Amino acid sequence: MATRAGRQGGQGVNEIPLPALFTQAKDVTLAVLHRRLDEEGFEGIRYSHGAVFRFIDAEGSRLTVLAERSGLSKQALGEVVTELERHGYVERTTDPDDHRAKIIRLTERGTEAQVAAARILGDIERRWAQHLGRDRITGMRRVLEEVVRFERG
Amino acid sequence: MATRAGRQGGQGVNEIPLPALFTQAKDVTLAVLHRRLDEEGFEGIRYSHGAVFRFIDAEGSRLTVLAERSGLSKQALGEVVTELERHGYVERTTDPDDHRAKIIRLTERGTEAQVAAARILGDIERRWAQHLGRDRITGMRRVLEEVVRFERG
DNA sequence: CGTAATTCGTCAGGCGACTTGACAATACCG
DNA sequence: CGGTATTGTCAAGTCGCCTGACGAATTACG
């Protein structure tokens, strides 16, 4: 409904701009992921929660560590953790060895959500592979990774 | 600094999740685009400004039309237009045929910015093609487009 | 025609997702 | 010990978007 082409630059730039293309790909993927998670009973999960699910250690991790790994400020990550805690996906415990720090740990439900998310993302990619070609999808992955590495120097 | 792998799900999900991958690709592309635009003297341009640059007609367009095409609310787009106006990239004129409506038009500087952005994005893609392979880049484009179409289908 | 319904753009307020600054509690080090 | 660094939280602000409400202008209709 909003797809337009042509008419842009001076010469014929008929392609959708790269940033928009990447954004659309992200958005559709995320929409499917969150819908499925919701259907499986994992409610209230949002994009930024991935900062915890992706980077947390099996034994639990400190807030500061998660903030570093995800690139978020510790304040922002603290907020994310509070929200996940409210939904029962993680719990905060004071580190017995360092009473300043708290250890963030996945609850059982949190681990289930983590596993489900990984499985769903795998399903999505497999479905794409079936419909569009296995090599093309794995190729896209590799090219994207290389592009990111290339531009970051 | 934040790249981690392994340890996620239960089985070995060693790949970076798709949404994160797409986001990173978008971010690096946008960083290069905005840096170059800035270097060429086109300052203050942000991601959302693309909603105007991408969808505006050569003769100018109504706010409502741009909002529809871009998928933003007309309020949000109005704000974007105000900002572009302040930077001298567009101008608002009351439609002589319909005094409720206003026509948004690119100024000369605005058109130059539009052309520059298209050129820079083309340069980026060409540079990727040189370093990573022409076919792989155009392949990535096509796969992304098909993926988006597939999931919206 | 006159009036009612619709459309255009803007103002106001709110929310989500971040940021920086400041700070108490705790730990580390010479 | 006393000074310094670290951990996590509170507070406040920004940014980019949203919905609701509205005046002004236009269109539809009885």
Side-chain angles (χ1 to χ4, degrees):
Chain A
M1 343 235 87
T3 318
R4 247 28 189 30
R7 157 185 355 92
Q8 286 100 324
Q11 56 277 60
V13 180
N14 265 10
E15 298 160 324
I16 176 172
L18 286 171
L21 189 55
F22 293 140
T23 299
Q24 287 176 19
K26 185 204 87 173
D27 288 346
V28 297
T29 310
L30 227 47
V32 174
L33 173 61
H34 288 153
R35 183 169 50 74
R36 298 253 181 105
L37 281 173
D38 217 83
E39 285 168 6
E40 296 193 21
F42 300 107
E43 287 157 35
I45 293 187
R46 291 200 329 273
Y47 178 62
S48 56
H49 296 166
V52 171
F53 286 122
R54 283 178 64 196
F55 297 118
I56 196 167
D57 292 304
E59 338 84 63
S61 300
R62 290 191 177 183
L63 186 80
T64 306
V65 170
L66 292 179
E68 253 172 47
R69 290 181 183 169
S70 67
L72 293 183
S73 65
K74 53 187 184 172
Q75 294 91 328
L77 204 117
E79 184 55 37
V80 168
V81 167
T82 300
E83 207 173 315
L84 286 171
E85 202 177 21
R86 224 182 304 127
H87 282 83
Y89 295 117
V90 303
E91 54 192 7
R92 263 188 251 244
T93 332
T94 302
D95 186 337
D97 300 337
D98 183 344
H99 281 227
R100 291 169 306 178
K102 300 195 178 162
I103 311 245
I104 320 293
R105 259 193 217 82
L106 289 179
T107 61
E108 194 169 338
R109 179 167 160 73
T111 306
E112 286 169 16
Q114 190 189 44
V115 170
R119 191 194 66 238
I120 292 167
L121 285 171
D123 286 348
I124 292 173
E125 207 161 337
R126 250 167 272 130
R127 194 158 45 84
W128 291 353
Q130 277 176 12
H131 287 262
L132 308 175
R134 181 183 196 84
D135 295 347
R136 299 180 72 210
I137 297 300
T138 60
M140 173 193 73
R141 253 211 120 81
R142 280 196 211 103
V143 173
L144 283 172
E145 284 161 5
E146 288 177 36
V147 156
V148 170
R149 204 165 345 115
F150 178 66
E151 287 299 348
R152 290 225 229 265
Chain B
M1 311 270 102
T3 318
R4 247 31 190 24
R7 159 187 348 94
Q8 287 100 323
Q11 54 277 58
V13 180
N14 264 9
E15 298 161 324
I16 176 173
L18 287 171
L21 189 55
F22 293 141
T23 300
Q24 286 176 20
K26 185 203 89 173
D27 288 346
V28 298
T29 311
L30 227 47
V32 174
L33 173 61
H34 289 155
R35 182 169 50 73
R36 297 255 181 105
L37 280 172
D38 217 84
E39 285 168 6
E40 296 194 18
F42 300 108
E43 286 158 35
I45 293 187
R46 290 199 335 267
Y47 178 61
S48 57
H49 296 164
V52 170
F53 286 122
R54 283 177 65 198
F55 297 118
I56 196 167
D57 292 304
E59 338 82 63
S61 299
R62 289 190 178 184
L63 185 82
T64 306
V65 170
L66 293 179
E68 255 171 47
R69 290 181 183 169
S70 67
L72 293 182
S73 65
K74 54 187 184 172
Q75 295 91 328
L77 204 118
E79 185 55 37
V80 168
V81 167
T82 300
E83 208 172 313
L84 286 171
E85 202 177 22
R86 224 182 305 127
H87 283 83
Y89 295 116
V90 304
E91 55 193 6
R92 262 189 251 244
T93 332
T94 302
D95 186 337
D97 300 337
D98 183 344
H99 281 226
R100 292 169 305 178
K102 300 197 176 161
I103 310 240
I104 320 294
R105 262 194 214 82
L106 289 178
T107 61
E108 193 168 340
R109 179 167 160 74
T111 305
E112 286 169 15
Q114 190 189 44
V115 170
R119 191 195 64 237
I120 292 168
L121 285 173
D123 286 348
I124 292 174
E125 207 160 336
R126 247 167 273 131
R127 194 158 45 85
W128 291 352
Q130 278 176 11
H131 288 262
L132 308 175
R134 181 182 196 84
D135 295 348
R136 300 179 71 209
I137 297 300
T138 61
M140 173 194 73
R141 254 214 118 82
R142 281 197 209 103
V143 174
L144 283 171
E145 283 160 5
E146 288 176 36
V147 156
V148 169
R149 205 164 347 114
F150 178 65
E151 288 298 349
R152 290 224 231 266

